[in-house]
Amino acid sequence: MTTTAEKIWVNSGDSHVWEPKDLWTANLPQALKHRGPHMVRDGKHDIYVVDDEKVFFASASMIDAITPPGSADLNLRLADLDEQGIWAEVVFPSVGIWLSVMKDRELMHQSVKVYNDWAKSDMIDRSERLLATALISVLDFDDAVEETKRVAALGFKSICLPATLPDHLEYNMPEFDRVWAVCEEAGMVVCFHVGTGSSKLIVTRGPGGALINYWETTIPVQRCVTHMISGGALDRFPRLKIMTAEAGVAWVPALGDRLDEAYRQHNRYAHPKLSRLPTQIIKDQVYSSFQHDETALPAVIAHDYQNALWGSDYPHLEGTYPHTQEVLHGLFDHVSPEVRRRVTLGAFEELFGIGMPVAKAA
Ligand code: MN
């Protein structure tokens, strides 16, 4: 960032909060408390424990690096946002991401409620800038519908569903229509964030593992979008909008090419029939957030894909904190004001109804 550069104010489609350490162990119903998700530091590792099972290990130094004071203290968080030039942000959990690997129906249903109640009182009620996304259990459709209706009434603007589903489920299943109907009616966005729903995030420990494993997290998200389009959910619910978080952008219009080709060339096998081509469904209903991608804005411009949102991924290593302005200038200094406005503010406002205070708007 040059010293004379103006501050670019943006809204962010991706960030994370650290929940209180005892959120679930203190607040679950008495009989379930000891099974609540929590983290344990064991020497050089932090261990994510869910339902008494060790589901993931992370190096303690890496966790420390993504735990700036503002990641847990919401007053400090707002100060960080001001300093970085971010007004409003979609907020995903941290430990809460691991709820989606639970296998016990009652434990998961109660655990998402504990998270959602806390997110409501500590974020949504605190500031319109903190758009916490609600967690929903997919282990039972009645539970999913009940909780989606409840969080809609509480003021949540989005739900987060796992990118990787339990083996018996797929997002092309019509059983999900009950959930989509509630989201469409309430205007709630369905979010798919990378790395959710599976504890098998390490696919290889061989050469290139860090890059390969990072890339692998993108695949389940692409599968979600493919199923939502091809299975007809987005066609049946044309006002429903979905957003991928932290999975990049340029693959989205490319996915449209693949699905259009399949729909056209294999049409006799394609069921259900769609009222719009996949490329059109993507333009109407599929949004995607990115942090650094150099291919994102060219995809927006060249393919008229208007649904890219910038996202900080605060406070993760893949994100832009604490050098957000440098990244924003690198991305947006050389595109038209219309493209910049659309990607930093317009798509976000379309999804979540939040713009930018006039004094900060470019
Ligand atoms: Mn993220």
Side-chain angles (χ1 to χ4, degrees), residues 271-291:
H271 299 285
K273 299 301 179 198
L274 303 172
S275 69
R276 293 163 289 156
L277 280 173
T279 44
Q280 188 61 49
I281 292 173
I282 284 173
K283 287 182 178 182
D284 294 341
Q285 293 169 270
V286 180
Y287 295 69
S288 52
S289 83
F290 73 103
Q291 305 95 270

Side-chain angles (χ1 to χ4, degrees), residues 163 194-195 211-224 244 246-249 251:
V194 295
L211 281 65
I212 295 165
N213 293 324
Y214 189 65
W215 171 78
E216 285 277 356
T217 65
T218 317
I219 305 306
V221 173
Q222 297 188 0
R223 189 172 296 125
C224 295
T244 67
E246 216 185 307
V249 164
W251 60 268

Side-chain angles (χ1 to χ4, degrees), residues 314-331:
Y314 173 89
H316 287 179
L317 296 183
E318 305 83 22
T320 64
Y321 177 79
H323 53 275
T324 299
Q325 287 297 310
E326 193 179 319
V327 173
L328 292 173
H329 278 281
L331 286 167

Side-chain angles (χ1 to χ4, degrees), residues 79-96:
D80 278 350
L81 294 186
D82 284 339
E83 196 270 325
Q84 297 287 297
I86 296 164
W87 179 249
E89 57 176 6
V90 178
V91 187
F92 293 94
S94 293
V95 175

Side-chain angles (χ1 to χ4, degrees), residues 263-276:
Y263 194 74
R264 186 177 62 238
Q265 309 298 118
H266 297 170
N267 187 262
R268 75 177 70 175
Y269 309 111
H271 299 285
K273 299 301 179 198
L274 303 172
S275 69
R276 293 163 289 156

Side-chain angles (χ1 to χ4, degrees), residues 14-16 92 193 246 313 316:
D14 177 25
S15 73
H16 297 265
F92 293 94
H193 189 287
E246 216 185 307
D313 198 30
H316 287 179

